[in-house]
């Protein structure tokens, strides 16, 4: 007990947590998680909860997977870190090859980094320099969508369109042209997906007709605006955007940091629409949720624009100290092997169908609005049964729901006015039922309180 108190005190005194109002830190008994096992985490007091946020959307096969642990330990017997600037190493080489074998066709070149935001930064810089290297100096601006989220570094948040997270840094951001959020457009059209897709593509084409000469690239999240609250696009947005970008000579970047590695029910959402992006950003599930690793995959023709005699200085000037860390690469390689061996995706598709079925219960409840789902991720909006509106921002009622859920054994987090469900891909049918039941009870109890 004394040790626990000491840790809590030090945490409060020294640890500045991300996306956290530290003035309220500790109010809702934040867990100090000491260990994980399979789909569960345990705090320092031994309390257990199902990890229904996949440790921020990245865990794939559960915690302490014997194969992933062994791959990490085996690499640790060799070396923990060496640089890939002017050298290479076996796990990095094998992983680069492995990723190109599973990625959409033509993505033959892999640039490693550490986090999703950085995979986007790398895509931004590659795209910008691609046109510079080709002598197209007039290509200077990016095209993105409202409510996009691509990470929190200055470049990635320039592309983001989230007033709450991104507005305060507006004066630092590079200028970006914006299209409407496909999901919001669909809401305005009474939920008509086909009309929304056609209308969105029309607005893209209008924009490209006007300014494609100056546009470097369009960037879209893969199939869903995740951080904006799990807002799925109408089907066809990605395929249509890819086609228009090709026609108007604008690069197409797809950010599958959240949707990639099985979350959509296929390995990459791009497969579902037959899309071959020019650049693909990957992160989160790439290392099975073990270590910070990300990658930007490029089409051969993009890569080729960086090849020139040394003296022309056309190489890609980018890199970090820990780029392609061997431990992270070794565990990511084993993650790919697990995907290949276990036919994980067919069980993921069964869980996706089960989740869809189970979510229907929330549609008629007085304390929730219609849930949203994309693959194995969902958001259930919390509503005040008196009046049916969201609770005011700052009321933190969503946090109170999550605290109740955790006490009942399910670890969840709010996102805006919703509670999100993003379990590891290894979640079982019984665990999906448990998540839905505990969430429903917690919402009912909290809104009655
Ligand atoms: C999480 C996320 C990012 C940022 O990844 P980090 O690893 O948190 O930097 C970028 N894009 C999308 C779509 C994401 O969901």
């Amino acid at each position: 007990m004394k040790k626990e108190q000491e840790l809590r005190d030090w945490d409060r005194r020294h640890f500045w947590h991300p996306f956290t109002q530290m003035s309220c830190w500790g109010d809702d008994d934040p867990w100090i998680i000491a260990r994980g096992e399979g789909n569960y985490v345990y705090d320092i007091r031994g309390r257990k909860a199902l990890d229904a946020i996949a440790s921020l959307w990245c865990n794939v096969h559960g915690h302490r997977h014997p194969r992933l642990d062994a791959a990490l330990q085996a690499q640790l017997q060799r070396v923990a870190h060496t640089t890939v600037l002017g050298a290479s190493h076996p796990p990095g080489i094998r992983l680069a090859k492995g990723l190109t074998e599973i990625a959409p066709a033509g993505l033959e070149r892999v640039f490693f980094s550490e986090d999703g935001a950085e995979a986007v930064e790398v895509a931004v810089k590659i795209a910008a320099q691609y046109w510079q290297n080709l002598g197209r100096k007039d290509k200077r601006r990016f095209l993105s969508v409202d409510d996009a989220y691509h990470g929190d570094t200055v470049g990635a948040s320039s592309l983001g369109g989230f007033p709450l997270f991104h507005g305060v840094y507006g004066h630092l951001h590079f200028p970006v042209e914006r299209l409407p959020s496909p999901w919001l457009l669909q809401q305005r059209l009474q939920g008509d997906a086909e009309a929304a897709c056609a209308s969105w593509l029309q607005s893209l084409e209008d924009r490209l007709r006007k300014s494609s000469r100056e546009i470097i690239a369009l960037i879209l999240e893969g199939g869903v605006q995740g951080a904006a609250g799990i807002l799925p696009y109408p089907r066809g947005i990605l395929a249509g955007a890819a086609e228009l970008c090709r026609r108007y000579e604008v690069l197409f970047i797809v950010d599958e940091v959240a949707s990639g590695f099985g979350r959509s029910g296929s390995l990459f959402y791009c497969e579902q629409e037959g899309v071959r992006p020019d650049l693909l950003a990957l992160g989160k599930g790439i290392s099975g949720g073990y270590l910070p690793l990300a990658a930007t995959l490029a089409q051969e023709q993009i890569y080729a624009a960086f090849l020139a005699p040394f003296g022309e200085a056309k190489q890609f000037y980018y890199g970090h100290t820990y780029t392609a860390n061997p431990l992270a690469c070794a565990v990511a390689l084993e993650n790919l092997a697990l995907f290949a061996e276990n036919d994980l995706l067919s069980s993921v598709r069964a869980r996706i169908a089960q989740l869809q079925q189970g979510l229907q219960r929330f549609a008629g409840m007085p304390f929730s609005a219609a849930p949203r789902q994309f693959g194995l991720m969902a958001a259930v909006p919390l509503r005040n049964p008196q009046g049916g509106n969201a609770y005011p921002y700052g009321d933190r009622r969503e946090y109170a729901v999550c605290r109740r859920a955790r006490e009942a054994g399910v670890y969840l987090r709010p996102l805006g006015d919703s509670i999100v469900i993003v379990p590891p891909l290894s979640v079982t049918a019984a665990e999906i039922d448990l998540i839905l039941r505990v969430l429903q009870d917690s919402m009912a109890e909290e809104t009655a309180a």
Side-chain angles (χ1 to χ4, degrees):
M1 220 45 194
K2 181 168 167 290
K3 200 169 221 159
E4 180 184 343
Q5 200 46 54
E6 196 172 64
L7 281 171
R8 283 201 190 285
D9 290 346
W10 291 343
D11 189 20
R12 196 163 298 154
R13 208 166 312 151
H14 303 296
F15 196 157
W16 192 347
H17 290 263
F19 278 101
T20 302
Q21 176 45 264
M22 295 305 293
S23 77
C24 317
W25 179 242
D27 289 3
D28 57 354
D29 178 30
W31 272 20
I32 301 176
I33 295 172
R35 64 188 189 90
E37 190 77 52
N39 297 333
Y40 294 82
V41 291
Y42 299 78
D43 85 339
I44 47 173
R45 245 190 256 170
R47 292 179 291 186
K48 171 184 177 183
L50 176 61
D51 185 1
I53 58 165
S55 293
L56 217 55
W57 311 5
C58 62
N59 193 278
V60 177
H61 311 283
H63 299 282
R64 296 224 53 206
H65 192 285
R67 291 270 302 271
L68 298 179
D69 287 11
L72 196 47
Q73 277 154 5
Q75 181 58 37
L76 207 43
Q77 300 302 310
R78 299 181 188 110
V79 67
H81 184 70
T82 56
T83 184
V84 288
L85 276 67
S88 200
H89 54 61
I93 295 167
R94 293 203 175 95
L95 181 60
K97 174 169 179 287
L99 287 170
T100 63
E101 284 165 359
I102 57 169
L107 294 167
E108 291 293 329
R109 303 290 172 168
V110 181
F111 197 95
F112 288 111
S113 57
E114 284 79 75
D115 296 282
E118 222 196 313
V120 171
E121 293 281 349
V122 167
V124 161
K125 287 199 167 179
I126 289 177
Q129 191 178 340
Y130 169 79
W131 293 117
Q132 295 287 313
N133 282 0
L134 293 186
R136 296 282 300 270
K137 308 283 181 197
D138 46 351
K139 292 269 199 188
R140 308 190 70 82
R141 285 199 305 283
F142 284 86
L143 189 52
S144 151
V145 295
D146 292 335
D147 290 316
Y149 180 79
H150 298 290
D152 297 323
T153 53
V154 174
S157 72
S158 296
L159 300 166
F162 220 80
L164 184 68
F165 304 169
H166 299 135
V168 69
Y169 310 111
H171 57 297
L172 302 180
H173 289 158
F174 54 72
V176 170
E177 294 190 28
R178 267 174 230 288
L179 293 161
S181 151
W183 187 85
L184 289 174
L185 188 60
Q186 187 178 344
Q187 300 315 295
R188 285 203 290 277
L189 296 169
Q190 280 74 47
D192 185 337
E194 237 171 87
C197 184
S199 162
W200 190 86
L201 290 172
Q202 189 59 57
S203 64
L204 172 59
E205 180 155 23
D206 293 346
R207 183 66 61 103
L208 291 175
R209 202 177 286 129
K210 208 173 330 158
S211 45
S212 67
R213 216 165 2 97
E214 288 131 47
I215 294 189
I216 295 167
L218 166 68
I219 182 164
L220 290 179
E221 286 165 78
V224 63
Q225 296 196 279
I230 321 294
L231 313 179
Y233 303 152
R235 198 166 275 269
I237 290 281
L238 240 62
E243 171 56 29
L244 286 169
C245 285
R246 199 164 13 251
R247 198 176 327 144
Y248 286 88
E249 290 197 314
V250 161
L251 297 183
F252 186 38
I253 305 171
V254 178
D255 174 355
E256 289 226 40
V257 171
S259 58
F261 290 96
R263 192 54 68 186
S264 71
S266 39
L267 204 45
F268 302 107
Y269 177 73
C270 281
E271 294 168 23
Q272 295 187 24
E273 296 201 15
V275 165
R276 301 172 45 165
D278 296 299
L279 293 157
L280 177 68
L282 300 175
K284 291 200 166 93
I286 190 173
S287 68
Y290 265 54
L291 284 167
L293 182 72
T296 309
L297 274 62
Q299 292 281 342
E300 191 63 26
Q301 133 261 347
I302 305 281
Y303 175 82
F306 290 75
L307 303 176
F310 195 94
E312 284 183 28
K314 283 190 171 171
Q315 61 264 50
F316 186 43
Y317 288 102
Y318 192 97
H320 287 262
T321 311
Y322 285 101
T323 292
N325 171 259
L327 293 172
C329 290
V331 76
L333 203 51
E334 197 66 3
N335 177 35
L336 296 194
L338 289 176
F339 268 102
E341 288 164 28
N342 296 342
D343 196 19
L344 179 61
L345 291 176
S346 63
S347 87
V348 169
R349 285 191 281 267
R351 297 291 83 76
I352 290 171
Q354 184 194 352
L355 181 62
Q356 184 175 12
Q357 181 89 46
L359 283 168
Q360 287 173 9
R361 77 184 71 195
F362 292 102
M365 300 282 179
F367 49 75
S368 62
R372 300 177 295 271
Q373 185 191 4
F374 173 86
L376 203 53
M377 55 198 325
V380 182
L382 182 70
R383 292 292 176 263
N384 185 340
Q386 264 90 53
N389 295 317
Y391 288 91
Y393 182 74
D395 193 84
R396 301 173 72 226
R397 198 61 73 106
E398 299 82 7
Y399 285 87
V401 169
C402 292
R403 182 174 172 173
R404 278 179 194 273
R406 199 187 55 200
E407 280 160 7
V410 177
Y411 178 29
L412 290 163
R413 259 181 70 82
L415 188 59
D417 67 2
S418 301
I419 320 296
V420 291
I421 301 170
V422 187
L425 300 191
S426 53
V427 70
T428 65
E431 287 164 350
I432 292 278
D433 286 339
L434 175 71
I435 294 168
L436 292 168
R437 184 158 40 80
V438 166
L439 177 58
Q440 178 182 343
D441 291 349
S442 306
M443 291 173 97
E445 285 160 22
E446 182 57 37
T447 54

